[in-house]
Amino acid sequence: METDESERVLPFQLQFDKPAPSQIKLAEWNPEKDLLAMVTEDSKIILHRFNWQRLWTISPGKCITSLCWRPDGKAVAVGLEDGTISLHDVENGKLLRSMKSHTAAVVCLNWEEDNGLGQDNEDNTVSYEDRTLRFFPPAPRVPRMPGVVSGDSTLIDNTEDSFQDLLNTSHQRFNILCSADKDGNVCFSIFGIFSIGKINIHNLSLPVLGNQVAFQILHASIYKIALSKDFCRLIIVCSGEISCSSSDFNHGPMSGNKTEGMHCLVLDTSIFRKRKQELHQIAQQASSVEDLTEVIRASLSIMYKQWCDAMQIFQDKFHSLSTLIVDHGLDSSPQEEFLSLLGGARTSPPVHQFLVNSLGESGLKRVMKAVSSAGSELQLILLDHIQPAAEIIGFRMGELRGLSRWRARYGGIGLDEKLIDNATEKVGMLLVQVVRFVQILSSVSQQFINFFSWLSRCIKILMSESSDQLPAYNSELVIMFLKFLYDRDPVKLLLDQSMVDHYVQLDSDTTQRVEELVKLGGFADTECLHRTLAKEFQYMESSFKEAFNMPYITVSKEIICEQMLPLYSFQSSSPSTHCSVLTSISFYWDAAPEFSACETSQENLVDYITFQIPEWSSSDVSNCICILRGVMNEAGNIRNKYTTVEALLLSVSKDFSCMDLSLYKERQLVLLLNETTAASDSSGNAQLMMVPTNDLPFVSISRSTNQNFWNLDQLQDLTLPLQMESAKVRSIPHNVVPPLAISSSRGVGCVFAARKRALVYILDEDEEEEESASDMD
């Protein structure tokens, strides 16, 4: 399916040409392995090896709008239309975590990892050691429902370690997942699981002439976000209309009617770098607390269901006795009838009929087994899941409590000592509730078993059978059961979420002992035993949210807009529907920048931003690609501001249209072009092109008056034709469709043809021999 040209002179060796599983709308290469994740038009996620072997296919059941790999390649993040971000295991596609970080569709994701954990440029602080593993066994998991086999439930299997591996691996290196939605919200999550900040581009402030000036981006659409490799800044490429009442905005590129267009926002996120160690410690502890909180929540839910199921069996069997009493015209309750039988009176006809015919030995055994099994299961869940989870939570909150007292280091990122103290106390109260619940459950189970033993003996006697082999019973416990448990359920009351406001009555002795303990110090909550277990869990969870929300709020306030670059002004309004603009952002280290306006020997991180100017946006410039590069002199490391911005416009031949683009390593730009002369969408040819940007004649962009705006409109008269003769070009005998999937780490690119074909090319010629010799695993 190749041209007749010699393979020797063709760049980009074709590795294979395979049928695509479906029309692909998103594709991303794994950064560490030869794996390609693809999203089909019907929102299925497909993972293929480099040799095109399919590993798994999953369907989240919702429309997928974005895709991103975790930097170590062990998990993939998926953004959904409803604002959910789900993390999936690379091994089997299993759902590891689902977070509702947004309320609108997640349009783009970016996950960046720290390359030097434990080394800080400011104080050389060593990485934090998690001491929990020294004192506690592995954290408990969500218990499995009895009778559920592997694969029948979404509950985590105790034999599967994927979820724990995700946490352990994430905590080894500090990383941040950035996500943006179509409403203009950008969220930040440490390890992809602990939310640490949020901003909205509709309401921002910008330093202008020494003042913070608020402005709005109306009708904003975010096309791309990228966090720099040093965590110091976030680049956002978006479109929208600038609105500001300040006179400082009434000149330069924002003057007149040209307020709608594409913009590049440079946000200062240096708090992630400056406070990396502190944020790492907080996120490590807090994310584990949140995980264990979910274990307790799920455990309580399972306990409630199991106990209710057992009680339903008991009630279904014994409800018939009430019916029989009414049918026989008696004016008594089942408890009174049983008490009469226990006292030695003659067995009444309804009780005789119920015990011998309705219940019988087999029915009693089924009820006894159900209640006894439920009681045992609840005790196992309490002792093996809830109690150890609460104990580990208590230890981790104690660790955070110690950190919160170091106000000079942790107060600045929102770790509030008072809130942490309150949350720590709530964990202790939950443990007290767990101990009390174990005692109540044990007492209730014992009384049920004693009641069933007495009934079993009564049935034997009524059937004139020997009862010598039956276990003995306690008459006093039978009386207590009939008075307090027959038609009441204290276990369900303590677990029922709908009864959390129930006030548990205590005897005077217990109340006095609690008040005496309060005087000794350690806690101040005298009402804890009046609450149910479910209510106490709600209190604890609420205290966690309040405590962990403070770092979230504090960090969010520290993320500010430092610069805004109006990339291009639209002469016509954007389409009513969300129209994507081809955009790519990358960061490169330059030891000696070649920019004439920046003379420095210091190694700087240079930002490269490239985007296609939309065809509907301008009649003056059409079929053009803009490349912008900016450098920041990090001397002093105070603020993130571009000291130099250079840009150019590449004009693509009218015979081609750009389908997708991507920045590649060594400051190269990869373009995917379609011939415009094709008779149909599926016929015709395409070009895969790699353009080195080092030798391109970039033009220095002048600043506007207020020093924080850059004017790109001046580039219209300096458009540079795209010279295909001087670039690496590979002809493709198909029309192609986006996306273009490029892997800088593996040196490969995947192109999707309109006829549902997938073509993989080796982009680095010097690595072709090495790639072909590999086992493709």
Side-chain angles (χ1 to χ4, degrees):
M1 303 179 70
E2 293 295 321
T3 64
D4 295 334
E5 300 179 63
S6 171
E7 289 288 341
R8 181 177 56 83
V9 299
L10 288 177
F12 314 140
Q13 174 188 343
L14 177 65
Q15 190 67 25
F16 56 77
D17 180 351
K18 298 284 187 179
S22 179
Q23 191 62 55
I24 304 298
K25 65 177 181 179
L26 298 170
E28 292 286 343
W29 286 98
N30 187 300
E32 294 294 329
K33 302 178 182 179
D34 290 322
L35 301 172
L36 179 65
M38 297 171 286
V39 177
T40 63
E41 287 291 345
D42 56 353
S43 289
K44 292 181 180 178
I45 309 173
I46 303 174
L47 187 70
H48 275 237
R49 290 185 184 271
F50 184 79
N51 60 9
W52 216 241
Q53 175 191 1
R54 184 182 297 192
L55 296 182
W56 47 259
T57 301
I58 60 173
S59 178
K62 299 174 183 177
C63 180
I64 299 175
T65 52
S66 53
L67 185 73
C68 177
W69 283 99
R70 201 174 73 178
D72 65 1
K74 294 185 177 181
V76 61
V78 179
L80 303 179
E81 190 176 36
D82 66 349
T84 301
I85 299 175
S86 59
L87 305 183
H88 296 266
D89 190 353
V90 66
E91 296 297 331
N92 49 27
K94 178 182 176 180
L95 178 64
L96 298 169
R97 174 69 72 92
S98 182
M99 302 166 294
K100 194 67 181 294
S101 303
H102 301 266
T103 57
V106 182
V107 295
C108 49
L109 296 166
N110 174 247
W111 209 331
E112 194 61 46
E113 182 179 63
D114 175 41
N115 292 323
L117 181 62
Q119 299 296 325
D120 192 288
N121 294 334
E122 297 179 0
D123 56 9
N124 293 321
T125 304
V126 296
S127 59
Y128 176 71
E129 177 191 2
D130 183 8
R131 300 191 302 168
T132 311
L133 302 178
R134 290 187 184 184
F135 306 107
F136 293 92
R141 307 287 187 82
V142 174
R144 291 187 57 83
M145 288 287 289
V148 178
V149 297
S150 180
D152 290 346
S153 173
T154 57
L155 295 176
I156 297 174
D157 191 344
N158 287 335
T159 62
E160 298 177 5
D161 295 326
S162 297
F163 187 72
Q164 197 64 33
D165 289 344
L166 171 76
L167 296 179
N168 291 339
T169 304
S170 294
H171 290 172
Q172 290 175 7
R173 278 197 171 184
F174 185 72
N175 58 70
I176 298 177
L177 173 64
C178 308
S179 56
D181 62 36
K182 70 175 185 178
D183 287 344
N185 296 300
V186 180
C187 297
F188 304 86
S189 301
I190 300 178
F191 310 132
I193 55 179
F194 179 68
S195 296
I196 195 59
K198 179 179 180 180
I199 60 102
N200 187 289
I201 67 170
H202 290 129
N203 296 283
L204 296 171
S205 63
L206 188 69
V208 178
L209 300 178
N211 298 315
Q212 288 288 335
V213 177
F215 66 94
Q216 292 181 311
I217 302 180
L218 306 177
H219 316 296
S221 295
I222 297 179
Y223 301 125
K224 201 78 172 180
I225 58 174
L227 185 65
S228 62
K229 298 179 185 298
D230 57 3
F231 297 138
C232 282
R233 59 189 174 277
L234 179 76
I235 307 298
I236 303 176
V237 177
C238 62
S239 67
E241 181 179 353
I242 301 296
S243 173
C244 181
S245 58
S246 173
S247 59
D248 293 316
F249 276 55
N250 294 331
H251 52 265
M254 305 312 298
S255 61
N257 296 322
K258 294 185 178 181
T259 60
E260 184 175 2
M262 287 189 64
H263 315 289
C264 175
L265 304 178
V266 183
L267 272 61
D268 179 11
T269 58
S270 58
I271 188 173
F272 294 136
R273 178 183 179 181
K274 297 174 182 177
R275 298 301 186 93
K276 177 181 65 177
Q277 299 296 337
E278 295 91 332
L279 292 172
H280 180 98
Q281 295 171 39
I282 292 175
Q284 185 176 33
Q285 299 290 359
S287 59
S288 178
V289 168
E290 291 179 347
D291 295 336
L292 292 170
T293 302
E294 289 300 317
V295 170
I296 297 177
R297 181 202 307 280
S299 299
L300 291 175
S301 177
I302 292 173
M303 288 169 59
Y304 178 74
K305 184 178 185 307
Q306 286 186 256
W307 186 256
C308 287
D309 289 346
M311 290 299 99
Q312 189 62 48
I313 294 174
F314 172 78
Q315 292 168 8
D316 289 345
K317 280 293 184 181
F318 282 78
H319 177 71
S320 60
L321 176 58
S322 299
T323 305
L324 290 172
I325 293 174
V326 174
D327 292 344
H328 283 78
L330 299 179
D331 186 17
S332 60
S333 65
Q335 295 97 311
E336 292 172 339
E337 292 293 328
F338 281 133
L339 286 173
S340 177
L341 179 62
L342 180 64
R346 186 176 63 86
T347 307
S348 65
V351 171
H352 187 282
Q353 184 178 347
F354 169 72
L355 293 178
V356 176
N357 300 327
S358 300
L359 183 61
E361 285 188 89
S362 59
L364 180 61
K365 287 181 179 179
R366 284 194 295 270
V367 176
M368 185 186 303
K369 181 179 180 181
V371 175
S372 177
S373 298
S376 299
E377 288 291 337
L378 263 62
Q379 284 197 346
L380 286 176
I381 293 175
L382 282 165
L383 299 178
D384 295 345
H385 298 271
I386 294 181
Q387 185 169 337
E391 290 172 349
I392 296 176
I393 289 175
F395 182 85
R396 291 194 177 278
M397 292 305 300
E399 295 280 270
L400 288 174
R401 187 180 185 184
L403 295 177
S404 68
R405 295 183 176 182
W406 193 354
R407 295 186 181 92
R409 191 176 183 98
Y410 292 90
I413 55 174
L415 196 63
D416 186 89
E417 181 180 357
K418 183 177 180 180
L419 294 178
I420 295 296
D421 285 348
N422 178 58
T424 305
E425 180 176 314
K426 289 298 184 288
V427 182
M429 295 300 99
L430 181 71
L431 282 169
V432 172
Q433 289 275 11
V434 169
V435 173
R436 181 179 70 170
F437 185 86
V438 170
Q439 296 173 348
I440 293 175
L441 177 63
S442 177
S443 174
V444 170
S445 299
Q446 182 182 2
Q447 292 187 55
F448 263 105
I449 292 174
N450 183 77
F451 176 67
F452 292 145
S453 297
W454 172 67
L455 285 183
S456 179
R457 184 177 294 272
C458 291
I459 292 174
K460 287 286 189 182
I461 294 174
L462 292 175
M463 298 178 66
S464 301
E465 296 180 4
S466 174
S467 59
D468 296 338
Q469 301 299 322
L470 295 177
Y473 66 91
N474 188 312
S475 300
E476 293 182 0
L477 290 180
V478 174
I479 296 173
M480 290 180 60
F481 176 87
L482 292 173
K483 285 187 175 181
F484 302 109
L485 294 179
Y486 184 85
D487 56 355
R488 302 176 191 175
D489 193 346
V491 174
K492 178 182 177 181
L493 184 65
L494 294 175
L495 295 173
D496 194 348
Q497 293 288 341
S498 64
M499 298 291 290
V500 291
D501 293 329
H502 176 77
Y503 189 83
V504 179
Q505 296 293 335
L506 300 178
D507 58 76
S508 58
D509 291 340
T510 303
T511 303
Q512 183 179 355
R513 284 198 295 268
V514 170
E515 293 175 352
E516 292 174 353
L517 288 173
V518 170
K519 294 178 181 179
L520 294 176
F523 72 100
D525 188 356
T526 60
E527 296 294 316
C528 63
L529 293 181
H530 291 290
R531 297 190 289 267
T532 67
L533 179 60
K535 183 67 173 181
E536 199 64 56
F537 174 75
Q538 286 188 2
Y539 270 42
M540 184 188 75
E541 187 179 30
S542 177
S543 69
F544 290 162
K545 290 180 179 179
E546 187 179 11
F548 298 152
N549 194 47
M550 282 303 297
Y552 177 88
I553 295 174
T554 304
V555 172
S556 297
K557 292 179 179 179
E558 292 292 323
I559 301 173
I560 61 175
C561 183
E562 279 295 335
Q563 287 180 306
M564 184 177 69
L565 286 69
L567 299 179
Y568 202 81
S569 298
F570 294 163
Q571 294 186 1
S572 61
S573 300
S574 61
S576 56
T577 58
H578 178 77
C579 183
S580 180
V581 175
L582 302 179
T583 310
S584 182
I585 305 173
S586 191
F587 305 91
Y588 305 100
W589 287 105
D590 275 7
E594 301 174 0
F595 307 152
S596 59
C598 180
E599 296 295 335
T600 176
S601 60
Q602 182 179 354
E603 185 177 54
N604 291 303
L605 196 59
V606 182
D607 303 354
Y608 275 71
I609 303 168
T610 181
F611 62 94
Q612 181 189 33
I613 297 178
E615 294 292 335
W616 44 262
S617 68
S618 173
S619 59
D620 298 335
V621 180
S622 61
N623 208 20
C624 281
I625 296 169
C626 179
I627 306 175
L628 181 146
R629 64 183 183 186
V631 65
M632 298 181 180
N633 189 345
E634 304 222 358
N637 193 26
I638 300 175
R639 287 295 187 188
N640 290 285
K641 290 186 179 181
Y642 289 128
T643 56
T644 300
V645 173
E646 296 186 343
L648 61 85
L649 285 177
L650 287 179
S651 177
V652 181
S653 169
K654 64 180 181 179
D655 296 330
F656 291 90
S657 60
C658 183
M659 303 305 295
D660 207 349
L661 52 82
S662 177
L663 286 163
Y664 189 54
K665 57 186 176 182
E666 298 178 358
R667 293 166 292 281
Q668 300 177 97
L669 175 63
V670 180
L671 300 175
L672 187 60
L673 308 175
N674 257 352
E675 287 186 353
T676 57
T677 57
S680 64
D681 292 339
S682 59
S683 63
N685 296 321
Q687 303 281 353
L688 181 63
M689 177 184 301
M690 183 180 292
V691 181
T693 63
N694 283 337
D695 299 329
L696 294 178
F698 282 84
V699 178
S700 181
I701 303 300
S702 61
R703 299 190 188 197
S704 62
T705 308
N706 58 40
Q707 299 297 308
N708 284 307
F709 292 123
W710 304 83
N711 191 350
L712 297 187
D713 289 346
Q714 59 189 272
L715 292 178
Q716 293 186 12
D717 300 329
L718 300 173
T719 303
L720 178 69
L722 179 61
Q723 301 293 335
M724 294 189 178
E725 297 79 8
S726 60
K728 294 181 180 180
V729 181
R730 177 63 182 252
S731 179
I732 302 174
H734 311 278
N735 258 13
V736 294
V737 294
L740 169 64
I742 298 294
S743 173
S744 297
S745 60
R746 319 309 279 182
V748 295
C750 184
V751 175
F752 297 96
R755 292 180 175 178
K756 294 184 180 181
R757 307 288 300 181
L759 299 87
V760 174
Y761 294 92
I762 304 295
L763 300 182
D764 296 337
E765 295 179 356
D766 56 345
E767 297 181 5
E768 291 179 9
E769 183 177 348
E770 178 184 347
E771 290 287 346
S772 60
S774 67
D775 58 5
M776 304 306 175
D777 290 332

